[in-house]
Amino acid sequence: MNISEKSKGIIDSCRFCWMCRHICPIGNATGLERNTARARALGASLVVRGATKLKEISDNIYECTLCGACTNNCMTGWDPKVFIQELKTEIVLNGVAPDYIMGLIEKYQTTGNVYGVLACACLNDLVNNDSDVLFFAGQDAILKTPESVKNSIALLNKAGVKVSFGLDQDSSAAWWFLTGKTAETLSVATKTAEKLNQFKTVVVYDPVDYKLFLHEYKEWGIDITAKVIGFNEYLLSLIENGSLKVKNNGKAYSLQDNYAYARELDDTQTGRKLISKVGVVKDMLLIGKEANLAGQLIMAEYMPNVMTEVALNRWQNAINMDCKTIVTENPAEYLALKATTPDGYQVLSVEEMILENI
Ligand code: SF4
Ligand code: SF4
């Protein structure tokens, strides 16, 4: 199997403390021991040693969200996501991917996205190339939460910021998730970087895309010369410099820390600062770097029941602390929590929270 020495080292470094057993959102949802970082490493170890076939572990590799909760908590300081992504590349290149993954890849090849859907016609009027600030909504928002795109651009316009916007905004997050670092992933990323570099500033709505631009693109040697900034940071700067006027109504909001902001980009504060501009921060259980993932849209395509359970588990963390309004930072978690909202509770995206306080 063609995986790096780094991955082999990670696979073999576990100390069997089983901390990862309690923190994996998928393991917590399924109750299965195989859904832990360690169990995946054990499976990978068997493959590396020739004791089992790659195909035997391929389902389990695709049952990881890449949320990094295990990475954050592992006493060895190792990062299971590294070998998981390398294994995906091996799985796909060796033709042993599960049928449901091949189905998503084929859908992407035919339609340009894994969901096989078209962008909402309601976004057509927003397409323009008139500003040197690009609003990069990303594929998930464009295809799955078009209202978020409309609301976010409306909010930026209210602050006097005109933004360029296009319907073809693919960071390569889907290819990366499905196939790791393949030629297709790099090709999509390279084309996207060329588009971003036509602008002075790029405001990135989805933290998963933002993290990809800042981390993976750099690792892959793909240069982004435009100034790239996360949507939350950009909104906060507009409020702080007085361009966006908000009121503080004292309502309690609870942040659903997205893993990409909190764990990968080390930002657990911008979302909370935004809340404190319009209300009061009321934290639920497991926050910041310890936050539980609430949703992942690609996985919802092939394991919807488990992903519903993941969202319900996250709601339990809010219910236990009587947190009535959750504020999400990305489309996947917004949709997952929205679809499972208990009576008397509410989920808002960041822009919805700001809009209700203008
Ligand atoms: S937390 Fe790390 S060292 Fe402990 S069992 Fe999990 S993978 Fe192994
Ligand atoms: S990255 Fe997240 S989903 Fe994957 S094994 Fe670690 S905790 Fe579980």
Side-chain angles (χ1 to χ4, degrees), residues 211-232:
K211 177 233 45 132
L212 212 65
F213 293 149
L214 295 190
H215 285 185
E216 277 81 2
Y217 276 43
K218 200 168 177 188
E219 278 171 35
W220 300 338
I222 299 172
D223 276 347
I224 300 183
T225 52
K227 181 186 173 198
V228 177
I229 183 165
F231 183 59
N232 280 6

Side-chain angles (χ1 to χ4, degrees), residues 66 85-86 89 170-193 208-209 211-224:
L66 304 181
Q85 287 305 85
E86 285 192 21
T89 306
D170 183 358
S171 67
S172 78
W175 269 120
W176 167 240
F177 183 83
L178 291 173
T179 70
K181 187 184 164 189
T182 51
E184 288 83 356
T185 306
L186 296 179
S187 163
V188 173
T190 303
K191 283 185 198 137
T192 298
V208 175
D209 292 329
K211 177 233 45 132
L212 212 65
F213 293 149
L214 295 190
H215 285 185
E216 277 81 2
Y217 276 43
K218 200 168 177 188
E219 278 171 35
W220 300 338
I222 299 172
D223 276 347
I224 300 183

Side-chain angles (χ1 to χ4, degrees), residues 222-351:
I222 299 172
D223 276 347
I224 300 183
T225 52
K227 181 186 173 198
V228 177
I229 183 165
F231 183 59
N232 280 6
E233 291 160 80
Y234 198 68
L235 272 187
L236 185 62
S237 72
L238 293 174
I239 293 172
E240 287 183 338
N241 72 17
S243 306
L244 189 59
K245 307 256 182 275
V246 294
K247 296 174 288 194
N248 190 320
N249 289 323
K251 179 173 168 178
Y253 297 104
S254 308
L255 188 70
Q256 166 56 23
D257 291 271
N258 181 260
Y259 75 89
Y261 272 146
R263 287 195 276 270
E264 306 274 353
L265 299 168
D266 203 18
D267 180 6
T268 58
Q269 291 311 308
T270 307
R272 288 180 174 76
K273 284 182 188 166
L274 279 172
I275 290 176
S276 64
K277 295 289 178 194
V278 295
V280 177
V281 177
K282 181 172 169 61
D283 278 325
M284 54 183 154
L285 292 176
L286 295 170
I287 57 157
K289 287 182 183 289
E290 306 294 323
N292 263 349
L293 179 103
Q296 211 285 359
L297 281 169
I298 299 178
M299 288 174 73
E301 294 285 306
Y302 58 86
M303 42 197 292
N305 295 342
V306 172
M307 296 317 290
T308 297
E309 203 57 39
V310 165
L312 288 171
N313 283 347
R314 193 50 173 151
W315 270 117
Q316 200 55 52
N317 296 153
I319 292 164
N320 287 346
M321 298 299 283
D322 197 30
C323 292
K324 298 286 189 202
T325 303
I326 292 186
V327 177
T328 60
E329 301 180 308
N330 99 318
E333 295 191 307
Y334 176 79
L335 284 177
L337 291 171
K338 193 105 179 157
T340 51
T341 308
D343 286 347
Y345 290 78
Q346 182 186 30
V347 57
L348 296 174
S349 58
V350 163
E351 66 280 1

